[in-house]
PDB file of all heavy atoms in Angstrom:
ATOM      1  N   ASP A  48    -105.115 -30.510-191.345  1.00 38.00           N
ATOM      2  CA  ASP A  48    -105.257 -29.614-190.201  1.00 38.00           C
ATOM      3  C   ASP A  48    -105.060 -28.151-190.570  1.00 38.00           C
ATOM      4  O   ASP A  48    -104.996 -27.279-189.710  1.00 38.00           O
ATOM      5  CB  ASP A  48    -104.265 -29.998-189.094  1.00 38.00           C
ATOM      6  CG  ASP A  48    -102.813 -29.925-189.571  1.00 38.00           C
ATOM      7  OD1 ASP A  48    -102.588 -29.533-190.736  1.00 38.00           O
ATOM      8  OD2 ASP A  48    -101.929 -30.261-188.771  1.00 38.00           O
ATOM      9  N   GLY A  49    -104.971 -27.867-191.854  1.00 38.00           N
ATOM     10  CA  GLY A  49    -104.883 -26.483-192.289  1.00 38.00           C
ATOM     11  C   GLY A  49    -103.468 -25.964-192.409  1.00 38.00           C
ATOM     12  O   GLY A  49    -103.261 -24.812-192.778  1.00 38.00           O
ATOM     13  N   GLY A  50    -102.455 -26.800-192.163  1.00 38.00           N
ATOM     14  CA  GLY A  50    -101.086 -26.339-192.270  1.00 38.00           C
ATOM     15  C   GLY A  50    -100.619 -26.249-193.703  1.00 38.00           C
ATOM     16  O   GLY A  50    -100.988 -27.058-194.542  1.00 38.00           O
ATOM     17  N   ALA A  51     -99.816 -25.255-194.009  1.00 38.00           N
ATOM     18  CA  ALA A  51     -99.351 -25.068-195.382  1.00 38.00           C
ATOM     19  C   ALA A  51     -98.172 -25.974-195.666  1.00 38.00           C
ATOM     20  O   ALA A  51     -97.333 -26.215-194.815  1.00 38.00           O
ATOM     21  CB  ALA A  51     -98.969 -23.610-195.606  1.00 38.00           C
ATOM     22  N   HIS A  52     -98.105 -26.477-196.890  1.00 39.00           N
ATOM     23  CA  HIS A  52     -96.999 -27.322-197.314  1.00 39.00           C
ATOM     24  C   HIS A  52     -96.388 -26.749-198.588  1.00 39.00           C
ATOM     25  O   HIS A  52     -96.779 -25.695-199.074  1.00 39.00           O
ATOM     26  CB  HIS A  52     -97.491 -28.760-197.549  1.00 39.00           C
ATOM     27  CG  HIS A  52     -97.830 -29.472-196.269  1.00 39.00           C
ATOM     28  ND1 HIS A  52     -96.886 -30.038-195.458  1.00 39.00           N
ATOM     29  CD2 HIS A  52     -99.023 -29.678-195.665  1.00 39.00           C
ATOM     30  CE1 HIS A  52     -97.465 -30.593-194.411  1.00 39.00           C
ATOM     31  NE2 HIS A  52     -98.768 -30.378-194.510  1.00 39.00           N
ATOM     32  N   GLU A  53     -95.433 -27.469-199.143  1.00 41.00           N
ATOM     33  CA  GLU A  53     -94.750 -27.003-200.341  1.00 41.00           C
ATOM     34  C   GLU A  53     -95.717 -26.951-201.514  1.00 41.00           C
ATOM     35  O   GLU A  53     -96.512 -27.862-201.726  1.00 41.00           O
ATOM     36  CB  GLU A  53     -93.609 -27.974-200.687  1.00 41.00           C
ATOM     37  CG  GLU A  53     -92.701 -27.459-201.798  1.00 41.00           C
ATOM     38  CD  GLU A  53     -91.861 -26.279-201.370  1.00 41.00           C
ATOM     39  OE1 GLU A  53     -91.643 -26.122-200.170  1.00 41.00           O
ATOM     40  OE2 GLU A  53     -91.432 -25.526-202.257  1.00 41.00           O
ATOM     41  N   VAL A  54     -95.711 -25.864-202.249  1.00 45.00           N
ATOM     42  CA  VAL A  54     -96.569 -25.716-203.410  1.00 45.00           C
ATOM     43  C   VAL A  54     -95.723 -25.477-204.633  1.00 45.00           C
ATOM     44  O   VAL A  54     -94.553 -25.130-204.542  1.00 45.00           O
ATOM     45  CB  VAL A  54     -97.576 -24.548-203.223  1.00 45.00           C
ATOM     46  CG1 VAL A  54     -98.483 -24.814-202.058  1.00 45.00           C
ATOM     47  CG2 VAL A  54     -96.836 -23.234-203.022  1.00 45.00           C
ATOM     48  N   GLU A  55     -96.298 -25.642-205.822  1.00 48.00           N
ATOM     49  CA  GLU A  55     -95.578 -25.446-207.064  1.00 48.00           C
ATOM     50  C   GLU A  55     -95.463 -23.959-207.385  1.00 48.00           C
ATOM     51  O   GLU A  55     -96.373 -23.182-207.125  1.00 48.00           O
ATOM     52  CB  GLU A  55     -96.310 -26.172-208.193  1.00 48.00           C
ATOM     53  CG  GLU A  55     -96.373 -27.684-207.986  1.00 48.00           C
ATOM     54  CD  GLU A  55     -97.114 -28.357-209.120  1.00 48.00           C
ATOM     55  OE1 GLU A  55     -97.350 -27.688-210.142  1.00 48.00           O
ATOM     56  OE2 GLU A  55     -97.443 -29.545-208.984  1.00 48.00           O
ATOM     57  N   HIS A  56     -94.319 -23.573-207.968  1.00 46.00           N
ATOM     58  CA  HIS A  56     -94.098 -22.186-208.351  1.00 46.00           C
ATOM     59  C   HIS A  56     -93.599 -22.139-209.795  1.00 46.00           C
ATOM     60  O   HIS A  56     -93.031 -23.109-210.306  1.00 46.00           O
ATOM     61  CB  HIS A  56     -93.056 -21.524-207.433  1.00 46.00           C
ATOM     62  CG  HIS A  56     -93.509 -21.400-206.013  1.00 46.00           C
ATOM     63  ND1 HIS A  56     -93.510 -22.456-205.140  1.00 46.00           N
ATOM     64  CD2 HIS A  56     -93.975 -20.325-205.313  1.00 46.00           C
ATOM     65  CE1 HIS A  56     -93.946 -22.063-203.949  1.00 46.00           C
ATOM     66  NE2 HIS A  56     -94.238 -20.774-204.037  1.00 46.00           N
ATOM     67  N   ASP A  57     -93.853 -21.004-210.435  1.00 43.00           N
ATOM     68  CA  ASP A  57     -93.343 -20.845-211.787  1.00 43.00           C
ATOM     69  C   ASP A  57     -91.922 -20.302-211.748  1.00 43.00           C
ATOM     70  O   ASP A  57     -91.311 -20.213-210.677  1.00 43.00           O
ATOM     71  CB  ASP A  57     -94.267 -19.937-212.608  1.00 43.00           C
ATOM     72  CG  ASP A  57     -94.411 -18.553-211.978  1.00 43.00           C
ATOM     73  OD1 ASP A  57     -93.540 -18.170-211.170  1.00 43.00           O
ATOM     74  OD2 ASP A  57     -95.391 -17.851-212.296  1.00 43.00           O
ATOM     75  N   ALA A  58     -91.388 -19.936-212.921  1.00 45.00           N
ATOM     76  CA  ALA A  58     -89.990 -19.494-212.994  1.00 45.00           C
ATOM     77  C   ALA A  58     -89.730 -18.225-212.192  1.00 45.00           C
ATOM     78  O   ALA A  58     -88.612 -17.986-211.747  1.00 45.00           O
ATOM     79  CB  ALA A  58     -89.604 -19.267-214.470  1.00 45.00           C
ATOM     80  N   GLU A  59     -90.776 -17.426-211.979  1.00 42.00           N
ATOM     81  CA  GLU A  59     -90.600 -16.183-211.232  1.00 42.00           C
ATOM     82  C   GLU A  59     -90.931 -16.335-209.758  1.00 42.00           C
ATOM     83  O   GLU A  59     -90.947 -15.358-209.017  1.00 42.00           O
ATOM     84  CB  GLU A  59     -91.494 -15.102-211.859  1.00 42.00           C
ATOM     85  CG  GLU A  59     -91.133 -14.788-213.311  1.00 42.00           C
ATOM     86  CD  GLU A  59     -92.076 -13.761-213.895  1.00 42.00           C
ATOM     87  OE1 GLU A  59     -93.040 -13.375-213.190  1.00 42.00           O
ATOM     88  OE2 GLU A  59     -91.852 -13.332-215.042  1.00 42.00           O
ATOM     89  N   GLY A  60     -91.199 -17.542-209.334  1.00 45.00           N
ATOM     90  CA  GLY A  60     -91.464 -17.784-207.933  1.00 45.00           C
ATOM     91  C   GLY A  60     -92.919 -17.619-207.524  1.00 45.00           C
ATOM     92  O   GLY A  60     -93.244 -17.672-206.346  1.00 45.00           O
ATOM     93  N   ASN A  61     -93.835 -17.435-208.473  1.00 41.00           N
ATOM     94  CA  ASN A  61     -95.243 -17.270-208.156  1.00 41.00           C
ATOM     95  C   ASN A  61     -95.951 -18.623-208.150  1.00 41.00           C
ATOM     96  O   ASN A  61     -95.601 -19.522-208.913  1.00 41.00           O
ATOM     97  CB  ASN A  61     -95.929 -16.353-209.184  1.00 41.00           C
ATOM     98  CG  ASN A  61     -95.298 -14.975-209.212  1.00 41.00           C
ATOM     99  OD1 ASN A  61     -95.021 -14.398-208.162  1.00 41.00           O
ATOM    100  ND2 ASN A  61     -95.072 -14.449-210.419  1.00 41.00           N
ATOM    101  N   VAL A  62     -96.946 -18.728-207.277  1.00 48.00           N
ATOM    102  CA  VAL A  62     -97.730 -19.957-207.243  1.00 48.00           C
ATOM    103  C   VAL A  62     -98.514 -20.075-208.542  1.00 48.00           C
ATOM    104  O   VAL A  62     -99.174 -19.138-208.973  1.00 48.00           O
ATOM    105  CB  VAL A  62     -98.702 -19.953-206.042  1.00 48.00           C
ATOM    106  CG1 VAL A  62     -99.564 -21.216-206.057  1.00 48.00           C
ATOM    107  CG2 VAL A  62     -97.910 -19.861-204.745  1.00 48.00           C
ATOM    108  N   THR A  63     -98.437 -21.224-209.180  1.00 48.00           N
ATOM    109  CA  THR A  63     -99.125 -21.397-210.454  1.00 48.00           C
ATOM    110  C   THR A  63    -100.626 -21.562-210.216  1.00 48.00           C
ATOM    111  O   THR A  63    -101.042 -22.246-209.298  1.00 48.00           O
ATOM    112  CB  THR A  63     -98.598 -22.626-211.196  1.00 48.00           C
ATOM    113  OG1 THR A  63     -98.743 -23.779-210.345  1.00 48.00           O
ATOM    114  CG2 THR A  63     -97.140 -22.457-211.555  1.00 48.00           C
ATOM    115  N   THR A  64    -101.436 -20.942-211.048  1.00 58.00           N
ATOM    116  CA  THR A  64    -102.882 -20.998-210.879  1.00 58.00           C
ATOM    117  C   THR A  64    -103.614 -21.372-212.163  1.00 58.00           C
ATOM    118  O   THR A  64    -104.709 -21.900-212.105  1.00 58.00           O
ATOM    119  CB  THR A  64    -103.426 -19.641-210.405  1.00 58.00           C
ATOM    120  OG1 THR A  64    -103.040 -18.641-211.346  1.00 58.00           O
ATOM    121  CG2 THR A  64    -102.864 -19.293-209.028  1.00 58.00           C
ATOM    122  N   SER A  65    -103.044 -21.087-213.342  1.00 66.00           N
ATOM    123  CA  SER A  65    -103.752 -21.346-214.592  1.00 66.00           C
ATOM    124  C   SER A  65    -104.064 -22.826-214.759  1.00 66.00           C
ATOM    125  O   SER A  65    -105.157 -23.202-215.197  1.00 66.00           O
ATOM    126  CB  SER A  65    -102.937 -20.847-215.784  1.00 66.00           C
ATOM    127  OG  SER A  65    -101.669 -21.490-215.828  1.00 66.00           O
ATOM    128  N   ARG A  66    -103.108 -23.671-214.371  1.00 74.00           N
ATOM    129  CA  ARG A  66    -103.362 -25.102-214.486  1.00 74.00           C
ATOM    130  C   ARG A  66    -104.468 -25.525-213.526  1.00 74.00           C
ATOM    131  O   ARG A  66    -105.289 -26.390-213.843  1.00 74.00           O
ATOM    132  CB  ARG A  66    -102.086 -25.889-214.188  1.00 74.00           C
ATOM    133  CG  ARG A  66    -102.228 -27.379-214.544  1.00 74.00           C
ATOM    134  CD  ARG A  66    -100.987 -28.159-214.223  1.00 74.00           C
ATOM    135  NE  ARG A  66    -100.782 -28.276-212.784  1.00 74.00           N
ATOM    136  CZ  ARG A  66     -99.766 -28.943-212.236  1.00 74.00           C
ATOM    137  NH1 ARG A  66     -98.858 -29.485-213.012  1.00 74.00           N
ATOM    138  NH2 ARG A  66     -99.649 -29.027-210.930  1.00 74.00           N
ATOM    139  N   ASP A  67    -104.491 -24.892-212.333  1.00 74.00           N
ATOM    140  CA  ASP A  67    -105.531 -25.221-211.372  1.00 74.00           C
ATOM    141  C   ASP A  67    -106.918 -24.885-211.899  1.00 74.00           C
ATOM    142  O   ASP A  67    -107.895 -25.589-211.632  1.00 74.00           O
ATOM    143  CB  ASP A  67    -105.295 -24.469-210.053  1.00 74.00           C
ATOM    144  CG  ASP A  67    -104.016 -24.903-209.369  1.00 74.00           C
ATOM    145  OD1 ASP A  67    -103.504 -25.983-209.720  1.00 74.00           O
ATOM    146  OD2 ASP A  67    -103.529 -24.169-208.496  1.00 74.00           O
ATOM    147  N   VAL A  68    -107.028 -23.795-212.652  1.00 77.00           N
ATOM    148  CA  VAL A  68    -108.309 -23.419-213.245  1.00 77.00           C
ATOM    149  C   VAL A  68    -108.787 -24.510-214.192  1.00 77.00           C
ATOM    150  O   VAL A  68    -109.961 -24.917-214.175  1.00 77.00           O
ATOM    151  CB  VAL A  68    -108.189 -22.075-213.989  1.00 77.00           C
ATOM    152  CG1 VAL A  68    -109.477 -21.794-214.776  1.00 77.00           C
ATOM    153  CG2 VAL A  68    -107.912 -20.940-213.007  1.00 77.00           C
ATOM    154  N   TRP A  69    -107.876 -25.005-215.025  1.00 83.00           N
ATOM    155  CA  TRP A  69    -108.250 -26.052-215.970  1.00 83.00           C
ATOM    156  C   TRP A  69    -108.513 -27.374-215.274  1.00 83.00           C
ATOM    157  O   TRP A  69    -109.369 -28.150-215.716  1.00 83.00           O
ATOM    158  CB  TRP A  69    -107.175 -26.205-217.041  1.00 83.00           C
ATOM    159  CG  TRP A  69    -107.251 -25.110-218.053  1.00 83.00           C
ATOM    160  CD1 TRP A  69    -106.456 -24.004-218.146  1.00 83.00           C
ATOM    161  CD2 TRP A  69    -108.211 -24.989-219.099  1.00 83.00           C
ATOM    162  NE1 TRP A  69    -106.856 -23.213-219.185  1.00 83.00           N
ATOM    163  CE2 TRP A  69    -107.929 -23.784-219.789  1.00 83.00           C
ATOM    164  CE3 TRP A  69    -109.288 -25.779-219.515  1.00 83.00           C
ATOM    165  CZ2 TRP A  69    -108.695 -23.358-220.874  1.00 83.00           C
ATOM    166  CZ3 TRP A  69    -110.045 -25.355-220.606  1.00 83.00           C
ATOM    167  CH2 TRP A  69    -109.739 -24.158-221.270  1.00 83.00           C
ATOM    168  N   VAL A  70    -107.791 -27.631-214.181  1.00 85.00           N
ATOM    169  CA  VAL A  70    -108.085 -28.833-213.396  1.00 85.00           C
ATOM    170  C   VAL A  70    -109.496 -28.737-212.817  1.00 85.00           C
ATOM    171  O   VAL A  70    -110.279 -29.703-212.868  1.00 85.00           O
ATOM    172  CB  VAL A  70    -107.054 -29.006-212.263  1.00 85.00           C
ATOM    173  CG1 VAL A  70    -107.530 -30.066-211.271  1.00 85.00           C
ATOM    174  CG2 VAL A  70    -105.701 -29.397-212.832  1.00 85.00           C
ATOM    175  N   ASN A  71    -109.844 -27.552-212.288  1.00 83.00           N
ATOM    176  CA  ASN A  71    -111.188 -27.349-211.738  1.00 83.00           C
ATOM    177  C   ASN A  71    -112.239 -27.524-212.822  1.00 83.00           C
ATOM    178  O   ASN A  71    -113.292 -28.133-212.605  1.00 83.00           O
ATOM    179  CB  ASN A  71    -111.285 -25.949-211.122  1.00 83.00           C
ATOM    180  CG  ASN A  71    -112.375 -25.868-210.072  1.00 83.00           C
ATOM    181  OD1 ASN A  71    -113.282 -26.690-210.046  1.00 83.00           O
ATOM    182  ND2 ASN A  71    -112.290 -24.876-209.210  1.00 83.00           N
ATOM    183  N   ARG A  72    -111.961 -27.004-214.007  1.00 85.00           N
ATOM    184  CA  ARG A  72    -112.901 -27.167-215.114  1.00 85.00           C
ATOM    185  C   ARG A  72    -113.035 -28.634-215.518  1.00 85.00           C
ATOM    186  O   ARG A  72    -114.127 -29.112-215.838  1.00 85.00           O
ATOM    187  CB  ARG A  72    -112.443 -26.346-216.315  1.00 85.00           C
ATOM    188  CG  ARG A  72    -112.645 -24.842-216.141  1.00 85.00           C
ATOM    189  CD  ARG A  72    -112.140 -24.075-217.340  1.00 85.00           C
ATOM    190  NE  ARG A  72    -112.467 -22.660-217.251  1.00 85.00           N
ATOM    191  CZ  ARG A  72    -112.099 -21.745-218.142  1.00 85.00           C
ATOM    192  NH1 ARG A  72    -111.365 -22.118-219.194  1.00 85.00           N
ATOM    193  NH2 ARG A  72    -112.450 -20.488-217.998  1.00 85.00           N
ATOM    194  N   GLY A  73    -111.910 -29.339-215.517  1.00 89.00           N
ATOM    195  CA  GLY A  73    -111.952 -30.760-215.850  1.00 89.00           C
ATOM    196  C   GLY A  73    -112.768 -31.553-214.842  1.00 89.00           C
ATOM    197  O   GLY A  73    -113.520 -32.465-215.216  1.00 89.00           O
ATOM    198  N   ILE A  74    -112.633 -31.193-213.564  1.00 90.00           N
ATOM    199  CA  ILE A  74    -113.429 -31.858-212.520  1.00 90.00           C
ATOM    200  C   ILE A  74    -114.904 -31.561-212.735  1.00 90.00           C
ATOM    201  O   ILE A  74    -115.756 -32.455-212.628  1.00 90.00           O
ATOM    202  CB  ILE A  74    -112.967 -31.398-211.125  1.00 90.00           C
ATOM    203  CG1 ILE A  74    -111.534 -31.873-210.861  1.00 90.00           C
ATOM    204  CG2 ILE A  74    -113.903 -31.931-210.045  1.00 90.00           C
ATOM    205  CD1 ILE A  74    -110.928 -31.301-209.591  1.00 90.00           C
ATOM    206  N   ALA A  75    -115.230 -30.281-213.030  1.00 88.00           N
ATOM    207  CA  ALA A  75    -116.621 -29.909-213.284  1.00 88.00           C
ATOM    208  C   ALA A  75    -117.185 -30.676-214.477  1.00 88.00           C
ATOM    209  O   ALA A  75    -118.339 -31.134-214.461  1.00 88.00           O
ATOM    210  CB  ALA A  75    -116.725 -28.403-213.523  1.00 88.00           C
ATOM    211  N   LEU A  76    -116.376 -30.837-215.524  1.00 90.00           N
ATOM    212  CA  LEU A  76    -116.804 -31.584-216.706  1.00 90.00           C
ATOM    213  C   LEU A  76    -117.096 -33.036-216.352  1.00 90.00           C
ATOM    214  O   LEU A  76    -118.118 -33.600-216.762  1.00 90.00           O
ATOM    215  CB  LEU A  76    -115.729 -31.498-217.782  1.00 90.00           C
ATOM    216  CG  LEU A  76    -115.987 -32.286-219.072  1.00 90.00           C
ATOM    217  CD1 LEU A  76    -117.233 -31.765-219.781  1.00 90.00           C
ATOM    218  CD2 LEU A  76    -114.768 -32.210-219.995  1.00 90.00           C
ATOM    219  N   SER A  77    -116.198 -33.647-215.574  1.00 92.00           N
ATOM    220  CA  SER A  77    -116.378 -35.054-215.189  1.00 92.00           C
ATOM    221  C   SER A  77    -117.634 -35.234-214.345  1.00 92.00           C
ATOM    222  O   SER A  77    -118.415 -36.183-214.559  1.00 92.00           O
ATOM    223  CB  SER A  77    -115.149 -35.537-214.413  1.00 92.00           C
ATOM    224  OG  SER A  77    -113.969 -35.403-215.183  1.00 92.00           O
ATOM    225  N   ILE A  78    -117.840 -34.332-213.376  1.00 92.00           N
ATOM    226  CA  ILE A  78    -119.034 -34.412-212.528  1.00 92.00           C
ATOM    227  C   ILE A  78    -120.284 -34.199-213.363  1.00 92.00           C
ATOM    228  O   ILE A  78    -121.312 -34.867-213.162  1.00 92.00           O
ATOM    229  CB  ILE A  78    -118.946 -33.384-211.390  1.00 92.00           C
ATOM    230  CG1 ILE A  78    -117.818 -33.773-210.420  1.00 92.00           C
ATOM    231  CG2 ILE A  78    -120.271 -33.270-210.638  1.00 92.00           C
ATOM    232  CD1 ILE A  78    -117.555 -32.752-209.337  1.00 92.00           C
ATOM    233  N   GLY A  79    -120.222 -33.267-214.318  1.00 91.00           N
ATOM    234  CA  GLY A  79    -121.373 -33.015-215.176  1.00 91.00           C
ATOM    235  C   GLY A  79    -121.751 -34.236-215.998  1.00 91.00           C
ATOM    236  O   GLY A  79    -122.936 -34.580-216.123  1.00 91.00           O
TER     237      GLY A  79
END
């Protein structure tokens, strides 16, 4: 329903994104 939930953060409290990029690439590779 669009509500925000708990997300992963790094040591400085920032939402991690680098792993998400590689996850997206891995999904693209699998679909390809």
Side-chain angles (χ1 to χ4, degrees):
D48 60 3
H52 289 280
E53 189 70 23
V54 298
E55 297 180 13
H56 295 78
D57 59 20
E59 298 178 356
N61 300 316
V62 177
T63 57
T64 57
S65 59
R66 190 181 69 179
D67 295 342
V68 172
W69 283 102
V70 168
N71 204 340
R72 287 178 173 177
I74 294 172
L76 177 63
S77 301
I78 292 174

